[in-house]
Amino acid sequence: MSTATARYAGQLRTEATHVASGTTIHTDAPLDNHGRGEAFSPTDLVCTALGACMMTIMGIVAERHALDLTSVTFDVTKHMAADPRRIIEIELLFRMPAALPTEKRTLLERAARTCPVALSLNPEIRQTVQFSYEA
């Protein structure tokens, strides 16, 4: 069975449906590549998927260790190259709870860096990941 189906919606836009849940997402070409920039671009989704995957893996580890990560957030910044057009760097900044003990921080950071998306991306794509422990 397929994971997702998608259709071209015209005007450089797509609509994808997750088969199991029926959830849909839309993409739009970015402003700098003939689009309107009114939705995630496909490369935005790749970068966001990296952060979401890292957060999910940290969540799995946190549940094993009875840690609450519900306040964790991340910002993602995509850097593109022009010739050929491709992602060259993904910057992620995770905002983590300041109360996490040092040994748990190390455990979570190591888990994040070994998520399936991180391990699947071309090694030429720099993954710059920072963890900020805030109050």
Side-chain angles (χ1 to χ4, degrees):
M1 179 157 102
S2 299
T3 300
T5 60
R7 71 176 189 85
Y8 184 67
Q11 300 180 330
L12 308 179
R13 296 172 176 206
T14 70
E15 177 181 275
T17 303
H18 182 249
V19 172
S21 68
T23 302
T24 61
I25 58 172
H26 298 90
T27 66
D28 190 5
L31 291 172
D32 66 349
N33 200 23
H34 311 289
R36 294 183 190 166
E38 294 176 347
F40 284 100
S41 73
T43 54
D44 292 342
L45 288 177
V46 169
C47 298
T48 304
L50 175 61
C53 187
M54 288 180 164
M55 191 176 277
T56 301
I57 297 301
M58 285 192 291
I60 291 168
V61 171
E63 285 183 4
R64 281 191 216 133
H65 294 271
L67 302 170
D68 180 9
L69 296 186
T70 56
S71 65
V72 174
T73 63
F74 73 83
D75 292 338
V76 62
T77 304
K78 171 184 72 173
H79 299 276
M80 298 290 289
D83 189 23
R85 189 166 172 85
R86 68 196 182 287
I87 301 167
I88 58 168
E89 182 180 11
I90 302 169
E91 288 184 68
L92 286 159
L93 171 62
F94 286 92
R95 291 185 183 81
M96 307 289 286
L100 283 171
T102 301
E103 68 276 3
K104 301 302 182 187
R105 292 177 182 191
T106 302
L107 182 71
L108 292 168
E109 290 178 22
R110 188 177 313 122
R113 294 179 196 280
T114 60
C115 83
V117 173
L119 298 176
S120 298
L121 290 173
N122 185 316
E124 292 180 9
I125 299 173
R126 288 186 308 277
Q127 297 177 32
T128 305
V129 183
Q130 295 179 339
F131 296 86
S132 175
Y133 292 87
E134 304 172 354

